[in-house]
Amino acid sequence: MNILFYFETKKNLRSQNLGGIEILNIDLFNKIKKVNYNTFLTNNLSHKIKNKKWDVIISSNDAKIFNQVLTKKKILWLHNILQIEKAFRKKQLMSILKNNITAVFNSDYLRKNTSSLYNFNSKIIIPNFLTSHFQNLKLNMCRNPHFVWSVQRTKGLKDIVDIWIKKINPINSKAKFFIFGINSSKIGAYDLKKLKKYNIFFKGRVDRSTLKKYYLNSMGMICLGYDETFCLNIIEAYSCGLPVISFGYTAVDEITNRKNSFIMHDYSDFHKIFLTILYLKPNKRKKMIKYCVNYSKKFYLKNIINKWLKILNL
């Protein structure tokens, strides 16, 4: 089978080791050994594939490529709502409407929030996956009173920081709050020197290996759930045995439950949940850690590959 996998990416993206979706794409299709495929990293190469015959073409961001190739099956791989919005701006709408396309969404939330205007032939859900960095880890059952924020979105972060300063630090001076993924331009809104007095630390953007070390030594991960179409960060936290504190909004609702998460109804719940996690009995903490890890295994690469093999008819 000849498969063309097409997406745009930044030059030398792999060397940045940021775990971007393009890197995940490469890792995924490098593992599917049963197919004869080619990967094109930029749209500058698209002229080289015109008029070639393919069994399947998979595009992660540009539907216009479907007009340039001869293929039996067309798959548009959708990861976020922004991709759908860009389809109008990049004049991809007609490319979608005129082609018989299978849409692969990474969550049911994204599927439901995609306009019915797009006349996809079929809609399939295949989640993102854990890389080998987050599989079969050696776990630490004795955790430090540390909590991690690792999503780039800042909505709700100020509320959590305020609660930490007013309610959490006064009752437990050893508890630490580590914040990752926030751009330097947004960090400027905070008084970092003042926050350090309350054990709140902005760490900026780091590679996945560094983030994993913090996960493995912490008690909880905070992801409120605003505007998430999957949130791989939560699955990575689960793989390290870390329960999640969230509102369970958007696609986060699909991957949280009472055994791996603590769901807030409003911000006042954060203080109560912090105390619950802090004072979990050792046997209950151990049980939750194991459940989180076992839950994450459904997102192991081999399991996601099997889902792709089915739609590729392999």
Side-chain angles (χ1 to χ4, degrees):
M1 176 178 283
N2 293 318
I3 292 183
L4 167 63
F5 180 57
Y6 178 84
F7 60 92
E8 297 173 308
T9 185
K10 296 178 181 178
K11 188 177 182 181
N12 299 324
L13 177 63
R14 179 175 286 280
S15 65
Q16 295 180 28
N17 194 28
L18 296 178
I21 194 64
E22 286 83 5
I23 289 179
L24 295 183
N25 292 342
I26 294 172
D27 289 342
L28 173 65
F29 283 90
N30 279 344
K31 297 293 184 181
I32 300 181
K33 304 295 185 181
K34 297 180 180 180
V35 300
N36 174 24
Y37 68 94
N38 285 280
T39 300
F40 294 86
L41 300 183
T42 72
N43 55 1
N44 294 328
L45 295 172
S46 63
H47 66 279
K48 295 182 179 181
I49 61 177
K50 286 184 178 180
N51 300 320
K52 287 187 177 181
K53 292 184 178 180
W54 303 86
D55 294 301
V56 179
I57 176 171
I58 302 171
S59 175
S60 70
N61 64 357
D62 193 347
K64 289 186 290 185
I65 197 69
F66 296 130
N67 298 328
Q68 298 179 250
V69 296
L70 300 174
T71 181
K72 298 175 183 177
K73 189 168 189 176
K74 303 176 177 68
I75 297 175
L76 185 59
W77 192 4
L78 298 167
H79 302 281
N80 56 59
I81 294 175
L82 186 60
Q83 286 175 276
I84 300 296
E85 295 172 350
K86 285 182 177 178
F88 286 97
R89 190 165 70 250
K90 292 186 175 182
K91 299 179 180 179
Q92 297 178 27
L93 178 59
M94 294 310 296
S95 300
I96 295 176
L97 297 180
K98 289 182 178 180
N99 285 283
N100 190 19
I101 297 172
T102 295
V104 174
F105 300 91
N106 65 353
S107 68
D108 191 46
Y109 170 79
L110 183 57
R111 180 188 67 80
K112 291 177 179 177
N113 283 272
T114 298
S115 173
S116 58
L117 176 66
Y118 296 96
N119 59 337
F120 295 120
N121 176 48
S122 62
K123 298 179 181 180
I124 299 170
I125 299 170
I126 300 181
N128 293 336
F129 63 91
L130 290 170
T131 64
S132 58
H133 288 92
F134 289 93
Q135 296 183 30
N136 303 311
L137 303 178
K138 184 177 180 180
L139 299 174
N140 176 18
M141 296 298 175
C142 298
R143 302 296 178 106
N144 294 317
H146 298 171
F147 291 76
V148 177
W149 175 294
S150 61
V151 294
Q152 296 181 41
R153 296 171 181 82
T154 57
K155 186 174 182 179
L157 177 58
K158 186 178 183 301
D159 297 277
I160 297 298
V161 168
D162 288 344
I163 293 171
W164 188 279
I165 292 173
K166 295 175 182 177
K167 292 189 175 183
I168 292 178
N169 183 260
I171 63 173
N172 193 313
S173 60
K174 293 183 179 180
K176 295 181 180 181
F177 184 21
F178 297 102
I179 303 168
F180 297 90
I182 309 300
N183 292 331
S184 57
S185 59
K186 295 181 179 179
I187 292 177
Y190 296 88
D191 185 339
L192 302 187
K193 187 175 181 180
K194 175 186 175 182
L195 293 181
K196 284 184 180 179
K197 295 179 181 179
Y198 299 98
N199 288 337
I200 300 174
F201 305 94
F202 279 82
K203 293 292 186 177
R205 299 197 68 181
V206 299
D207 59 39
R208 314 308 283 184
S209 296
T210 300
L211 191 56
K212 179 175 66 176
K213 291 178 182 178
Y214 281 86
Y215 283 155
L216 288 169
N217 287 292
S218 299
M219 288 186 175
M221 182 259 202
I222 303 166
C223 177
L224 301 181
Y226 293 112
D227 304 317
E228 296 288 353
T229 53
F230 180 74
C231 197
L232 185 61
N233 297 63
I234 288 182
I235 304 301
E236 291 174 344
Y238 287 159
S239 74
C240 298
L242 210 57
V244 172
I245 303 171
S246 178
F247 285 121
Y249 295 150
T250 60
V252 172
D253 180 58
E254 298 173 37
I255 54 176
T256 53
N257 60 51
R258 293 181 180 179
K259 294 182 179 180
N260 60 22
S261 308
F262 294 87
I263 303 300
M264 299 190 297
H265 298 290
D266 54 53
Y267 285 101
S268 65
D269 290 337
F270 178 63
H271 172 236
K272 303 171 190 174
I273 290 173
F274 168 83
L275 292 176
T276 299
I277 295 176
L278 184 66
Y279 296 116
L280 275 177
K281 293 182 179 180
N283 62 326
K284 287 189 176 181
R285 189 180 308 282
K286 185 177 181 180
K287 185 178 181 180
M288 177 165 276
I289 288 173
K290 287 185 175 181
Y291 179 86
C292 288
V293 173
N294 288 331
Y295 184 89
S296 75
K297 290 180 180 179
K298 67 170 72 175
F299 301 97
Y300 276 16
L301 179 56
K302 63 179 181 180
N303 296 324
I304 305 304
I305 285 178
N306 288 335
K307 294 179 181 293
W308 275 100
L309 292 178
K310 287 182 180 179
I311 68 167
L312 294 175
N313 297 321
L314 293 174

